Amino acid sequence: MPNREGTTAMPSSAATSGSHDVAVIGLGGMGSAAARSLAARGARVLGLDAFGPAHDRGSSHGGSRIIRQSYFEDPAYVPLLLRAYELWAGLERDSGADLITLTGGLMIGPPESTAVAGSLRSAREWDLPHEMLSAAEIRRRFPTMAPGPGDVALYEERAGFVRPEATVAANLRLAARAGAELRFEEPVTSWRPLPGGGAEVLTASGRYTAGRLVVCPGAWAPRLLADLGVPLTVERQVQYWFAPRGGTAAFAPDRQPIYIWESADGTQVYGFPAIDGPDGGVKTAFFRRGEPCEPDTLDRTIRPEEVRAIAEHLAERVPDAPGRYLRGAACMYTCTPDEHFVIAAHPRHAGVTVACGFSGHGFKFVPVVGEILADLALDGGTALPIDLFDPRREVRT
């Protein structure tokens, strides 16, 4: 039956038990991309999600996510980002959806800060186009920004934002078009490898078998991947939207870049242009300043003291941005101790591939993670560099 996102969903009361080539648990950012890539290669795909298509119950919502190449987290991510940019273009072409916008991006802070020094390291190691700007140059080129005398910035022209809900919806449409069976409102309760190969998946209303299993459970990873051997924590994170003082003209995407701004104490705040017209406001949030939570009982109420804290922090840096508060939304990060991803064959179960622990910086990688997961599930390996994401790695925090 058609659903509101234009994909084809089976009614949850009509659970089937027939075998599929690959079952995908979780149809958010990574799972929807995996389902699309698998189905495009001719696999018989079953996709399962606890909620509806492109929902707001997990981590892939909020209208925008930053995309950038000069990656301060680790230069090892850059090859994946370069491939991701190619795949974002292909996803836009194949879906006809508006998914990625390049506005330029500023990584601001003291020269020794992670945001600046780490970005510069990646840019130099991979010969990425970039500029280094002084505080005076930042103010001259981007008048909305108010850096302190000790701040500098790495400017990357190819940074910008992607659209999470539209991306998930596009992947689901293309997966269904390629023959994937997508089932929503059907939470997975458990899964297990089968003695003769393959896996069995139990849901609230059905039992399924598949030759291979791909598990992309987002914030439910601690429950569904309890034997992975990686300690995962789930954090509540809040996104905020403000109507800027003086209107949105100065914050239009052709004038205002995305930014990640690191203070001397290590606090990072990030923000976007006014990407949804004069009524959409500008979005901002703290990066990794969350609190532990459980996904099924996430507190979605935005507290006044939270709004005050982000507004006060932003007022010192982007003074006109925190005008009238418009709205907020809670989402979740699922974090590993070293804040690097887990993308690998399950170390304990043959035929099971896992993707989790994206630690608040994963969405920009969605199309390339989908490609990697299809490689691992169908071919048993991938040419793309993913050693950093092995769950058996030595974790350094």
Side-chain angles (χ1 to χ4, degrees):
M1 65 177 62
N3 58 50
R4 66 179 184 273
E5 298 294 342
T7 61
T8 300
M10 298 286 289
S12 60
S13 61
T16 61
S17 59
S19 181
H20 296 76
D21 294 329
V22 188
V24 179
I25 297 176
L27 293 172
M30 307 309 175
S32 66
R36 177 207 174 199
S37 190
L38 287 161
R41 300 187 198 189
R44 293 174 298 160
V45 176
L46 169 68
L48 297 162
D49 199 278
F51 305 102
H55 60 79
D56 65 354
R57 301 289 91 185
S59 305
S60 298
H61 62 279
S64 58
R65 292 291 188 274
I66 286 175
I67 188 166
R68 51 195 165 91
Q69 293 182 352
S70 300
Y71 217 61
F72 61 74
E73 285 82 353
D74 197 298
Y77 287 87
V78 175
L80 299 181
L81 286 162
L82 297 177
R83 178 58 177 158
Y85 270 65
E86 297 173 352
L87 294 173
W88 278 109
L91 180 57
E92 279 199 319
R93 181 187 63 248
D94 294 345
S95 66
D98 181 12
L99 303 177
I100 179 170
T101 301
L102 301 184
T103 61
L106 290 168
M107 307 302 122
I108 310 177
E112 69 279 5
S113 64
T114 298
V116 175
S119 297
L120 183 59
R121 177 188 172 202
S122 285
R124 287 175 170 170
E125 185 167 324
W126 290 97
D127 196 24
L128 299 174
H130 67 283
E131 299 175 68
M132 294 303 300
L133 306 179
S134 67
E137 289 169 326
I138 297 168
R139 288 191 294 270
R140 177 178 58 81
R141 290 179 58 175
F142 305 105
T144 59
M145 318 299 276
D151 287 326
V152 297
L154 180 143
Y155 177 72
E156 178 188 326
E157 187 175 5
R158 287 187 58 74
F161 64 89
V162 293
R163 296 286 199 170
E165 294 93 337
T167 297
V168 173
N171 275 323
L172 294 174
R173 286 196 303 272
L174 292 170
R177 187 183 303 168
E181 177 187 340
L182 307 177
R183 303 181 63 88
F184 301 99
E185 308 292 346
E186 191 165 346
V188 170
T189 55
S190 65
W191 62 270
R192 67 183 182 96
L194 295 174
E200 178 183 72
V201 180
L202 298 181
T203 74
S205 55
R207 181 190 305 264
Y208 306 91
T209 58
R212 298 285 187 272
L213 182 62
V214 175
V215 187
C216 306
W220 288 262
R223 183 183 311 165
L224 289 174
L225 292 171
D227 65 346
L228 186 59
V230 179
L232 298 167
T233 57
V234 181
E235 297 179 358
R236 173 184 177 270
Q237 303 285 339
V238 181
Q239 308 164 78
Y240 307 86
W241 287 260
F242 291 90
R245 298 181 184 90
T248 57
F251 290 87
D254 59 347
R255 301 176 67 182
Q256 171 70 31
I258 63 92
Y259 60 88
I260 299 176
W261 200 317
E262 184 170 335
S263 304
D265 65 358
T267 300
Q268 291 182 342
V269 65
Y270 64 90
F272 296 83
I275 64 177
D276 292 314
D279 298 325
V282 292
K283 176 184 166 184
T284 186
F286 287 113
F287 189 35
R288 298 201 183 102
R289 187 165 147 172
E291 55 191 29
C293 69
E294 292 292 331
D296 292 324
T297 57
L298 174 65
D299 180 4
R300 298 183 182 276
T301 301
I302 312 304
R303 300 184 284 271
E305 61 270 23
E306 294 177 313
V307 178
R308 283 195 299 272
I310 189 72
E312 290 171 1
H313 190 88
L314 198 62
E316 297 179 7
R317 295 159 179 84
V318 194
D320 289 336
R324 178 170 53 88
Y325 172 65
L326 297 175
R327 64 190 184 281
C331 69
M332 291 175 283
Y333 290 177
T334 307
C335 301
T336 63
D338 61 5
E339 296 173 348
H340 294 309
F341 309 157
V342 175
I343 309 172
H346 197 297
R348 299 187 182 186
H349 306 300
V352 178
T353 302
V354 299
C356 64
F358 288 92
S359 303
H361 61 112
F363 200 89
K364 61 185 72 67
F365 296 89
V366 156
V368 72
V369 171
E371 181 175 68
I372 291 167
L373 293 174
D375 289 345
L376 295 175
L378 299 180
D379 304 330
T382 181
L384 291 161
I386 60 169
D387 289 348
L388 181 61
F389 312 136
D390 191 323
R392 298 164 297 182
R393 66 187 180 260
E394 181 182 353
V395 174
R396 295 182 176 89
T397 58

